[in-house]
Amino acid sequence: MEPVTDPALWGVVSIALSAIVLAVGVLYAVMPSPEGALPPVPLDAEEGFTYTCYCCPDPVRVTIRAPQAHLVGRAPGGRRQARTEG
């Protein structure tokens, strides 16, 4: 058996292997990681419930508090919502 010495074949093989390595690298880079994952927000949490958020480099502990009177009825950004009575 004689070794394959065709330069075009080796060029195609090297380009194909490079494309496979690049594709695996891209897939690895876009895979979710525990450090970047956002935890689900507990929607039915009661007052006093504490959970840990791992969305930052250091874990953050969040405790659910009762709504405060001065914040109720305010729109995002601190503006008071217009109430229409009809």
Side-chain angles (χ1 to χ4, degrees):
M1 180 178 233
E2 190 173 315
V4 178
T5 58
D6 186 18
L9 175 66
W10 286 113
V12 169
V13 169
S14 65
I15 289 174
L17 287 175
S18 298
I20 290 171
V21 169
L22 178 65
V24 169
V26 168
L27 288 175
Y28 179 76
V30 299
M31 285 178 57
S33 65
E35 293 84 24
L38 297 175
V41 177
L43 299 176
D44 59 346
E46 297 178 5
E47 182 181 354
F49 179 77
T50 301
Y51 69 98
T52 305
C53 176
Y54 296 97
C55 53
C56 299
D58 296 328
V60 178
R61 293 190 54 82
V62 179
T63 302
I64 306 298
R65 294 175 47 187
Q68 297 176 356
H70 68 280
L71 297 178
V72 174
R74 293 198 178 253
R79 296 182 305 274
R80 188 168 277 290
Q81 290 177 343
R83 295 183 187 227
T84 58
E85 296 183 22

